[in-house]
């Protein structure tokens, strides 16, 4: 079993690194009720997740520029639309040259560029990474309000679909006989911890996250996000299922080796106590868009199938205790 | 005594880990029996490769450090300060990111490219630092810095969203989560490198008495130099392709052992091999246990020990103008 973890320091470094790498969307600090006074005619986004939010909600012609990553189908669900609008690098100078009325930025990425644009008198709105259905909804509402009445209507449609989808998934997850304990490996070798979007989709998908056990359940400060845990500690914590995030076509990287480690392949040969290993496409988990719920949608049948045979599950519980 | 230490540390490294003690099971480790528990798999697929790799890389780095210090007659020489680790990492990075390697990591291509990088880097450093002594180290620092810059540049341009994490792996070094295939790839390179280095013993001993004396004793200096450089390139190149650049082992191990072998480079090389094979798994084990499930990279652990020793050497060297090594 995992030991309680009193050394959050080294972990914080990993979490910070994670935040800089993928900076997904979310609603923010400021008053979400205040609508934009006028519809901004030229909007630039300098964050992968606000890029997609902008492409989904804005009027044609309203987008003056988006970041380069949004065209990558491995990272973006709006890659086709992204190819139709100008591309801009996240530097204050290039963005300012586009004379935007509004710049959408992430809370954590390109902070220097965003701050410089504000000093130049450009209106910058920052979005936090979404980590739940509620924060995905809040992000849509805020972006709609910022972009104008047409965008607000589109956001309302998206939210209606999102809420219906979430409600249906929650009902299905609640109907499961029990929740299996899952470990989820990200493509970069980190493990999904409580607090992030992947954890939310894991839970909505009918699993309980084994990494949540590392936290003191008595309400001591909880830390969210993904971090790297020794694989051996994770394996010996005996998860029922191991979810492996895949990034097909991604550039080679040393960090991609962990999810393919032979130790995982060998686990499946253990017989009665073997965890199932399920691959999960990672591109929907990069940003907090309604599409992220498709992950939970795909996980639910797996959770239902694995939780179904009660005798096997019972022996497994005994083996664990 | 020195032979038993690596074995003891290796055994501890197999048994201890962040998930607690597992009694090493010889039949599983020798492949006689497939592991039938999660603990057995952890032992065979996670702890065994990292222990073997740490021991091999420690041995190579220790022996290379001793041989390079003997060859250059400079106490600061080691694969890291002479730029070999960085140039090897650059070679491996180039092979992985711009080669045909569909999958990252273990494979003969990155190892061969690392070897080539280390060889070219060392050759360049030896050519630039012909003045010997300090100019050699300065050339090494310069070439190493250039290689490091190119690694960062390559990773920035490679379309990897994980460039930052990658740089840490290559520049600091880690033996975490390597596989048995990695260990099998490293094995022959490490063995060849160690055989070549130990074979240099007599020549290095003679060189310790001065170049002229060595020549009069029949030592062919050009051949000796080539043998040490080739062995370093082979060993450090493959080690870096597997684990990134692990610094300071080659520096501190020879210095720690020199008083015990009577300041004879020929005896220091095998002693440093065993010392390195002890120190690196020990540092790795410490990094695993201190981190409580989140490992401290072995490169960090060795640098934490190595940097103060490095400074100590600089200080004592400044005081006593010339020492023997």
């Amino acid at each position: 079993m995992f030991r309680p973890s009193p050394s959050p320091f080294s972990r914080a470094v990993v979490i910070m690194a994670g935040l800089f790498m993928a900076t997904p969307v979310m609603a923010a600090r400021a008053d979400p009720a205040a609508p934009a006074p006028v519809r901004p005619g030229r909007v630039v986004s300098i964050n992968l997740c606000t890029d997609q939010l902008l492409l989904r909600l804005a009027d044609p012609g309203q987008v003056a520029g988006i970041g380069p990553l949004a065209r990558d189908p491995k990272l973006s669900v709006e890659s086709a639309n992204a190819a139709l609008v100008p591309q801009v690098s996240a530097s204050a100078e290039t963005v300012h040259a586009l004379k935007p009325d509004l710049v959408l930025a992430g809370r954590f990425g390109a902070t220097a560029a965003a701050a410089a644009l504000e000093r130049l008198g450009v209106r910058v709105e920052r979005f936090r990474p979404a980590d739940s259905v509620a924060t995905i909804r809040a992000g849509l509402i805020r972006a709609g309000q910022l972009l104008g009445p047409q965008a607000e209507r589109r956001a309302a449609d998206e939210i209606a679909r999102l809420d219906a989808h979430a409600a249906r998934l929650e009902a299905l997850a609640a109907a499961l006989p029990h929740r299996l304990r899952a470990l989820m490996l990200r493509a970069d070798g980190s493990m999904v911890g409580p607090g992030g979007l992947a954890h939310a989709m894991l839970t909505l998908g009918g699993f309980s996250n084994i990494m949540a056990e590392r936290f003191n359940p008595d309400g001591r400060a909880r830390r969210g996000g993904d971090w790297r845990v020794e694989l051996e500690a994770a394996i010996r914590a005996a998860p029922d299922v191991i979810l492996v995030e895949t990034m097909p076509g991604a550039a080679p990287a040393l960090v991609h080796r962990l999810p393919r480690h032979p130790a995982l392949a060998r686990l499946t040969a253990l017989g009665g106590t073997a965890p199932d290993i399920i691959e999960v496409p990672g591109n929907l988990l990069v940003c907090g868009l309604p599409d992220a719920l498709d992950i939970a949608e795909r996980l639910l049948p797996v959770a239902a199938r694995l939780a179904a045979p009660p005798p096997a599950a019972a022996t497994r519980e005994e083996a664990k205790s | 005594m020195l032979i038993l230490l690596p074995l003891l540390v290796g055994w501890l490294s197999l048994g201890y880990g962040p998930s607690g003690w597992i009694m090493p099971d010889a039949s599983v480790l020798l492949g006689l029996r497939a592991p039938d528990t999660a603990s057995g798999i952890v032992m065979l697929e996670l702890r065994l490769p990292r222990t073997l790799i740490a021991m091999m890389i420690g041995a190579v780095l220790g022996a290379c450090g001793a041989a390079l210090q003997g060859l250059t007659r400079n106490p600061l020489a080691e694969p890291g300060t002479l730029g070999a680790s960085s140039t090897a990492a650059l070679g491996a990075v180039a092979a992985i990111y711009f080669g045909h390697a569909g999958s990252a990591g273990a494979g003969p291509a990155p190892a061969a490219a690392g070897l080539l990088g280390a060889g070219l880097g060392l050759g360049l450093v030896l050519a630039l630092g012909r003045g010997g002594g300090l100019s050699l180290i300065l050339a090494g620092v310069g070439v190493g810095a250039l290689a490091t810059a190119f690694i960062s540049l390559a990773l920035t341009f490679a379309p990897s969203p994980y460039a930052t994490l990658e740089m840490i792996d290559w520049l600091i070094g880690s033996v975490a989560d390597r596989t048995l295939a990695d260990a099998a790839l490293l094995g022959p390179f490490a063995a060849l490198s160690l055989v070549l280095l130990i074979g240099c013993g007599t020549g290095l001993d003679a060189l310790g008495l001065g170049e002229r004396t060595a020549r009069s004793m029949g030592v062919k200096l050009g051949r000796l130099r080539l043998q040490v450089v080739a062995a370093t390139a082979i060993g450090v190149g493959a080690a870096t392709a597997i684990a990134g650049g692990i610094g300071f082992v080659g520096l501190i191990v020879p210095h720690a052992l020199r008083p015990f072998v009577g300041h004879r480079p020929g005896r220091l090389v095998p002693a440093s091999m065993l010392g390195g094979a002890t120190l690196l798994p020990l540092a790795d084990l410490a990094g695993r246990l201190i981190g409580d499930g989140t490992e401290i990279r072995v490169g960090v652990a060795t640098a934490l020990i190595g940097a103060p020793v490095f400074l100590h050497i600089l200080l004592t060297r400044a005081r006593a103008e010339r020492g023997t090594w």
Side-chain angles (χ1 to χ4, degrees):
Chain A
M1 279 308 225
F2 285 128
R3 285 172 288 160
S5 58
S7 74
F9 227 9
S10 51
R11 201 160 296 139
V13 176
V14 180
I15 294 169
M16 288 301 288
L19 288 172
F20 279 111
M21 280 183 311
T23 308
V25 191
M26 218 304 310
R29 38 173 204 162
D31 37 289
V38 286
R39 172 188 172 280
R42 297 177 59 76
V43 185
V44 173
S45 160
I46 55 172
N47 173 276
L48 171 62
C49 298
T50 53
D51 287 350
Q52 297 174 67
L53 212 46
L54 179 62
L55 289 168
R56 190 158 290 190
L57 299 181
D59 301 333
Q62 200 176 10
V63 182
I66 58 165
L69 294 176
R71 291 190 182 185
D72 186 348
K74 292 189 294 294
L75 300 173
S76 160
V77 293
E78 291 285 337
S79 55
N81 290 331
L84 306 174
V85 297
Q87 193 172 318
V88 62
S89 69
S91 89
E93 196 174 328
T94 48
V95 172
H96 189 252
L98 293 170
K99 299 188 173 57
D101 304 317
L102 171 66
V103 170
L104 304 183
R107 194 86 191 86
F108 299 107
T111 48
L117 284 165
E118 274 182 333
R119 284 197 299 277
L120 291 168
V122 179
R123 181 176 180 207
V124 178
E125 291 291 336
R126 294 177 178 81
F127 284 66
R128 272 180 185 282
D131 54 11
S132 65
V133 173
T135 50
I136 293 174
R137 188 196 294 113
L140 287 165
I141 291 174
R142 177 152 171 258
Q145 285 171 347
L146 289 169
L147 293 172
Q150 291 285 347
E152 244 180 311
R153 264 194 293 282
R154 284 184 206 110
D157 291 346
E158 291 273 352
I159 288 165
R161 275 199 296 276
L162 174 75
D163 286 344
H165 197 178
R168 187 166 60 77
L169 293 174
E170 269 162 20
L172 286 170
L176 291 172
H178 67 281
R179 281 176 179 257
L180 294 176
R181 297 164 63 250
L183 166 77
M184 182 164 176
L185 287 170
R186 300 301 299 256
D188 66 356
S190 61
M191 291 156 195
V192 170
L197 182 66
H199 171 79
M201 292 309 120
L202 191 72
T203 311
L204 195 58
F207 291 99
S208 72
N209 188 354
I210 197 167
M211 294 289 279
E213 297 171 15
R214 279 181 73 85
F215 295 90
N216 184 344
D218 308 328
R220 200 158 56 97
R222 289 184 171 226
R223 283 168 184 277
D226 306 343
W227 67 92
R228 218 176 156 136
V229 176
E230 290 269 351
L231 189 56
E232 67 165 70
I235 286 177
R236 290 188 83 199
D240 300 310
V241 54
I242 297 177
L243 305 170
V244 179
E245 183 189 43
T246 56
M247 283 272 178
L254 274 187
V255 291
H256 288 162
R257 292 162 30 129
L258 186 70
R260 295 198 314 257
H261 199 284
L264 292 177
R266 213 183 253 278
L267 279 176
T268 54
L270 279 184
T273 56
D276 292 271
I277 296 183
I278 312 287
E279 294 203 337
V280 178
N283 56 337
L284 298 179
L285 286 174
V286 178
C287 286
L289 294 167
D291 309 62
L293 267 63
D294 289 352
I295 293 291
E297 175 93 54
R298 287 185 213 192
L299 286 179
L300 262 171
V302 180
R305 174 168 58 80
L306 296 178
T315 50
R316 210 177 275 183
E317 289 301 321
E318 282 164 23
K320 241 171 267 153
S321 58
Chain B
M1 177 63 186
L2 204 52
I3 295 174
L4 289 179
L5 270 179
L7 297 177
L8 176 67
V9 170
W11 191 71
L12 287 176
S13 171
L14 283 173
Y16 275 113
S19 61
W21 172 258
I22 303 173
M23 190 64 193
D25 180 339
S27 61
V28 168
L29 292 176
L30 294 174
L32 302 176
R33 182 166 70 80
D36 49 8
T37 58
S39 301
I41 291 172
V42 164
M43 167 78 51
L44 179 69
E45 295 284 357
L46 290 168
R47 291 189 188 173
L48 180 62
R50 80 183 298 161
T51 302
L52 287 176
I53 288 172
M55 288 177 79
M56 286 191 281
I57 292 179
V60 164
L61 291 178
C64 285
L68 287 171
Q69 286 172 17
L71 180 74
T72 61
R73 291 185 290 155
N74 187 315
L76 298 181
E78 63 120 358
T81 47
L82 291 185
S85 298
S86 310
T87 50
L90 177 59
V93 164
I96 289 177
Y97 290 89
F98 302 105
H100 316 287
S103 63
L115 191 156
L116 189 70
L120 288 177
L122 273 176
L124 187 62
V125 168
L126 288 179
L128 290 172
R130 274 197 181 280
L134 196 58
S135 70
L136 196 72
I137 298 296
L138 289 176
V141 169
V143 169
L146 197 63
T148 303
F150 274 120
I151 292 170
S152 307
L153 203 63
L155 290 174
T156 309
F157 282 120
S160 168
Y162 306 106
T164 321
L165 274 180
E166 289 293 276
M167 276 178 226
I168 297 172
D169 248 355
W170 284 111
L171 300 180
I172 296 181
S174 166
V175 293
D177 305 326
R178 299 309 192 255
T179 64
L180 285 172
D182 292 324
L185 181 69
L186 177 60
F189 289 106
L192 179 61
S193 165
L194 291 172
V195 166
L196 283 174
L197 287 171
I198 290 172
C200 294
T202 331
L204 289 175
D205 273 347
L207 189 61
L209 304 171
E211 283 197 16
R212 199 175 291 174
T213 319
R215 247 188 231 109
S216 72
M217 290 166 72
V219 173
K220 294 193 177 69
L221 285 180
R223 189 169 168 272
L224 182 68
R225 198 170 287 137
L226 185 68
Q227 191 169 341
V228 171
V229 168
T232 304
I234 292 167
V236 172
T240 306
I242 301 289
I246 295 172
F248 286 116
V249 176
L251 184 70
I252 55 178
V253 169
H255 280 287
L257 295 177
R258 189 164 286 121
F260 298 104
V261 296
H263 297 267
R264 279 180 55 195
R267 286 169 63 187
L268 187 58
V269 170
S272 298
M273 174 184 90
L274 295 173
T278 307
L279 179 70
L280 201 58
L282 200 62
D284 178 46
L285 183 62
R288 276 186 282 165
L289 293 181
I290 294 167
D292 183 38
T294 305
E295 82 155 58
I296 296 169
R297 283 156 199 271
V298 67
V300 178
T302 53
L304 278 177
I305 310 167
V309 173
F310 193 86
L311 294 173
H312 174 74
I313 293 167
L314 279 178
L315 285 176
T316 48
R317 173 116 175 90
R319 280 196 209 109
E321 279 214 341
R322 256 170 230 283
T324 43
W325 46 80

